[in-house]
């Protein structure tokens, strides 16, 4: 889709934009420096090996995000390495909704899961 929105894996330089999206999600004012604490906690959380985040980037601005946590499942006979995933914090900012961006974010996460690409470094450091 050529609408100017690029859905891609989050990179470290996206942290401030991700914090902005989480603050928008909260829909309330920052009280007592909560934004700083959120940025610190989010930096640690997104560095986990079992987490992946994709973003909707339009001209360098983050308009949406979606997160996935991958976790192991009980082994089966003949299938000892099974995984499940939990989609979390799927958000597209209100002015950008009804354009299929949320669908594209979720599809990107599902594609990563089905291809096994989630096993790579989940948050690119570039």
């Amino acid at each position: 889709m050529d609408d100017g929105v690029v859905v891609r894996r989050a990179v470290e330089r996206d942290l401030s934009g991700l914090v902005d999206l989480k603050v928008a999600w909260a829909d309330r004012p920052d009280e007592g420096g909560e934004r700083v604490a959120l940025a610190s906690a989010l930096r640690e959380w997104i560095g986990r090996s079992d987490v992946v985040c994709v973003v909707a980037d339009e001209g360098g601005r983050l308009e949406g995000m979606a997160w996935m946590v991958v976790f192991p499942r009980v082994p089966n006979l003949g299938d000892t390495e099974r995984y499940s995933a939990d989609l979390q914090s799927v958000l597209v900012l209100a002015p950008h909704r009804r354009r299929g961006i949320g669908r594209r974010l979720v599809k990107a996460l599902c594609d990563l899961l089905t291809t096994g690409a989630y096993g790579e470094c989940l948050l690119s450091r570039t």
Side-chain angles (χ1 to χ4, degrees):
M1 180 177 281
D2 191 15
D3 61 355
V5 176
V6 176
V7 173
R8 61 172 174 77
R9 214 169 204 171
V11 294
E12 190 169 341
R13 69 180 175 270
D14 292 324
L15 183 62
S16 178
L18 289 167
V19 170
D20 289 344
L21 290 169
K22 293 293 278 181
V23 169
W25 182 307
D27 193 29
R28 66 173 180 78
D30 173 5
E31 297 174 359
E34 290 175 306
R35 181 184 174 84
V36 173
L38 173 62
S40 177
L42 197 55
R43 179 181 301 281
E44 288 182 32
W45 202 78
I46 59 180
R48 293 172 38 162
S49 64
D50 57 349
V51 173
V52 65
C53 177
V54 293
V55 294
D57 180 331
E58 186 169 25
R61 291 182 324 272
L62 299 188
E63 309 296 355
M65 66 181 172
W67 298 76
M68 178 174 65
V69 178
V70 179
F71 52 94
R73 294 184 62 192
V74 175
N76 277 347
L77 188 62
D79 189 6
T80 58
E81 291 193 34
R82 299 173 354 125
Y83 295 90
S84 286
D86 182 27
L87 297 182
Q88 301 180 1
S89 295
V90 179
L91 171 72
V92 176
L93 294 174
H96 304 282
R97 294 181 185 156
R98 314 261 333 137
R99 295 171 50 194
I101 295 171
R103 182 180 303 114
R104 291 169 54 197
L105 288 165
V106 171
K107 182 181 182 322
L109 288 176
C110 291
D111 289 349
L112 287 171
L113 185 61
T114 59
T115 63
Y118 64 87
E120 302 166 2
C121 176
L122 295 178
L123 178 67
S124 170
R125 303 293 180 201
T126 60

